[in-house]
């Protein structure tokens, strides 16, 4: 990932992405289970296809313009192909099909890696070529991702799949604004990572993989339940919490650029995501399971995970960044 983020040459960036992909395959396939092997195979095939497409796009650009520099992607065809390749790498719609499957086959820790760290390299490349991207393409990909992310998460009972669709929806918000205001797109994805890391950490701590296991969490760890609820509401983008900041900035910029209809569509489509976030928070905090248990042994907390959660959860919940915006 660091090779990609510090690269100037397309081949170096491609090499970094390949190393990154090869390194994470054993991490995904670590569990000796057909599901994790299948997940690793799916991940490999999609990433390899995207890498080939990316190399093809950069070669066409070098052939037409004589430059291998990442910032100089001047050829229109290679720019479109590059957006397609990076969309596939990240798992934004319409090339999103691998993401829920891979995450469902991996452990919670690996799922966290895939939704956060693995997005850094392709987003950095998108940020670097954002001057040359066609706004109509990125807007279409973004709107489709928000729609798919909301609709796909609707029926999910598996938390990892639900988080995969949540990730697709957040990538959609990033994609819509990347060609208009790349800095805000970057802010959006960073805030998403800050929100999803403590969420996954708490899921690992409570060993919750389905909505059903989540319903009993409050009997053992009420504090964790409240933090999980707030993190979910923050991801949904409800006002007092951090998740609202990037959404407000993105909608504000789209309206400024006379894209009011797009902004309105995005705001309405985000209600789809809000539905499944609210359903999860309702299950977490408002439903009482038939039996309460006195035992706390299965839920003993691991100190090192709690430190990271304690560091990131306040940032993900307390929206200090938005106060100046509201005051002006």
């Amino acid at each position: 990932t660091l090779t990609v983020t510090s690269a100037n040459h397309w081949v170096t960036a491609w090499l970094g992405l390949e190393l990154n992909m090869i390194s994470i395959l054993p991490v995904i396939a670590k569990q000796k289970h057909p599901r994790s092997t299948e997940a690793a195979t799916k991940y490999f095939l999609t990433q390899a296809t995207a890498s080939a497409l990316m190399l093809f796009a950069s070669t066409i650009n070098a052939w037409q313009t004589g430059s291998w520099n990442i910032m100089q992607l001047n050829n229109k065809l290679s720019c479109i192909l590059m957006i397609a390749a990076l969309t596939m790498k990240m798992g934004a719609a319409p090339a999103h099909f691998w993401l829920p499957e891979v995450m469902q086959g991996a452990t919670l820790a690996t799922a966290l890696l895939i939704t956060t760290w693995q997005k850094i390299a392709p987003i950095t490349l998108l940020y670097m070529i954002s001057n040359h991207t066609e706004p109509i393409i990125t807007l279409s990909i973004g709107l489709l991702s928000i729609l798919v992310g909301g609709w796909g998460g609707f029926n999910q009972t598996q938390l990892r799949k639900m988080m995969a669709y949540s990730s697709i929806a957040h990538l959609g918000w990033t994609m819509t604004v990347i060609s208009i205001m790349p800095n805000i797109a970057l802010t959006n994805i960073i805030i998403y990572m800050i929100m999803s890391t403590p969420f996954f950490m708490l899921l690992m701590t409570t060993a919750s993989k389905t909505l059903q296991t989540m319903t009993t969490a409050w009997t053992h760890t009420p504090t964790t339940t409240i933090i999980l609820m707030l993190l979910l509401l923050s991801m949904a983008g409800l006002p007092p919490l951090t998740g609202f900041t990037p959404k407000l900035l993105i909608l504000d910029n789209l309206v400024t650029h006379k894209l009011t209809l797009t902004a309105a569509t995005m705001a309405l489509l985000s209600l789809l995501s809000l539905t499944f976030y609210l359903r999860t928070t309702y299950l977490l905090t408002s439903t009482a399971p038939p039996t309460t248990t006195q035992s706390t042994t299965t839920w003993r907390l691991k100190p090192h995970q709690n430190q990271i959660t304690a560091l990131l959860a306040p940032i993900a919940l307390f929206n200090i960044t938005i106060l100046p915006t509201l005051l002006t």
Side-chain angles (χ1 to χ4, degrees):
T1 304
L2 295 175
T3 309
V4 179
T5 49
S6 57
N8 284 317
H9 196 286
W10 275 118
V11 177
T12 322
W14 173 81
L15 190 71
L17 283 166
E18 287 294 293
L19 284 170
N20 177 291
M21 176 192 74
I22 292 162
S23 309
I24 202 165
L25 288 175
V27 179
I28 299 170
K30 191 179 74 152
Q31 292 173 288
K32 303 287 183 286
H33 194 274
R35 283 301 291 268
S36 49
T37 315
E38 183 191 341
T41 312
K42 282 177 179 171
Y43 187 83
F44 169 73
L45 290 172
T46 45
Q47 298 295 320
T49 310
S51 291
L53 194 57
M54 184 183 149
L55 201 58
F56 178 54
S58 53
T59 311
I60 289 177
N61 186 61
W63 178 40
Q64 294 291 331
T65 63
S67 168
W68 280 99
N69 194 316
I70 293 178
M71 310 292 269
Q72 293 170 352
L73 195 72
N74 299 323
N75 185 286
K76 210 165 187 180
L77 172 66
S78 57
C79 192
I80 293 166
L81 286 172
M82 190 60 73
I83 293 169
L86 293 172
T87 303
M88 198 171 184
K89 278 232 167 265
M90 290 187 301
H96 65 280
F97 294 100
W98 62 272
L99 188 61
E101 298 296 320
V102 169
M103 279 181 68
Q104 186 55 34
T107 58
L108 282 167
T110 314
L112 170 63
L113 261 184
I114 293 166
T115 44
T116 53
W117 187 259
Q118 293 301 98
K119 301 269 186 283
I120 295 172
I123 291 228
T124 309
L125 289 174
L126 261 177
Y127 180 80
M128 288 165 87
I129 63 163
S130 58
N131 286 340
H132 304 289
T133 52
E134 287 283 329
I136 186 78
I137 296 172
T138 52
L139 281 169
S140 309
I141 290 171
L143 280 169
L144 189 62
S145 296
I146 297 168
L147 176 68
V148 166
W151 224 310
F154 236 64
N155 269 346
Q156 297 303 333
T157 52
Q158 296 286 336
L159 289 172
R160 283 166 295 182
K161 272 195 176 174
M162 197 182 82
M163 287 308 291
Y165 283 109
S166 156
S167 170
I168 293 164
H170 278 91
L171 281 173
W173 283 84
T174 306
M175 286 299 283
T176 40
V177 84
I178 196 121
S179 55
I180 302 164
M181 283 290 281
N183 289 347
I184 289 176
L186 219 54
T187 310
N188 180 52
I189 205 76
I190 289 165
I191 287 177
Y192 168 68
M193 286 174 189
I194 289 170
M195 290 186 299
S196 59
T197 306
F199 184 79
F200 271 105
M201 289 283 186
L202 290 172
L203 289 187
M204 281 186 257
T205 312
T206 55
S208 304
K209 285 178 184 168
T210 59
L211 288 177
Q212 194 179 1
T213 49
M214 249 184 153
T215 51
T216 55
W218 73 272
T219 54
H220 304 283
T221 46
T223 322
T224 303
T225 313
I226 292 162
I227 296 170
L228 276 172
M229 176 196 78
L230 289 168
L231 285 169
L232 278 164
L233 294 176
S234 185
M235 278 189 232
L238 293 181
L241 306 163
T242 308
F244 178 61
T245 314
K247 283 190 167 66
L248 179 72
L249 290 171
I250 289 168
L251 293 176
D252 180 44
N253 264 284
L254 288 173
V255 173
T256 311
H257 285 82
K258 309 258 188 305
L259 292 163
T260 317
L261 188 66
T262 313
T265 313
M266 285 166 69
L268 287 169
L269 288 177
S270 68
L271 293 175
L272 289 168
S273 302
L274 181 64
T275 311
F276 69 80
Y277 287 127
L278 282 179
R279 184 189 61 183
T280 315
T281 51
Y282 174 75
L283 280 172
L284 259 175
T285 53
S286 307
T287 54
T291 53
T292 53
T293 171
Q294 304 303 316
S295 160
T296 53
T297 46
T298 50
W299 302 79
R300 198 164 284 150
L301 305 181
K302 297 181 182 70
H304 66 278
Q305 285 181 352
N306 287 356
Q307 286 162 5
I308 302 166
T309 312
L311 182 72
L312 291 175
I315 308 169
L317 298 179
F318 303 121
N319 202 341
I320 306 154
T321 46
I322 203 165
L323 288 174
T325 324
L326 292 175
L327 292 171
T328 48

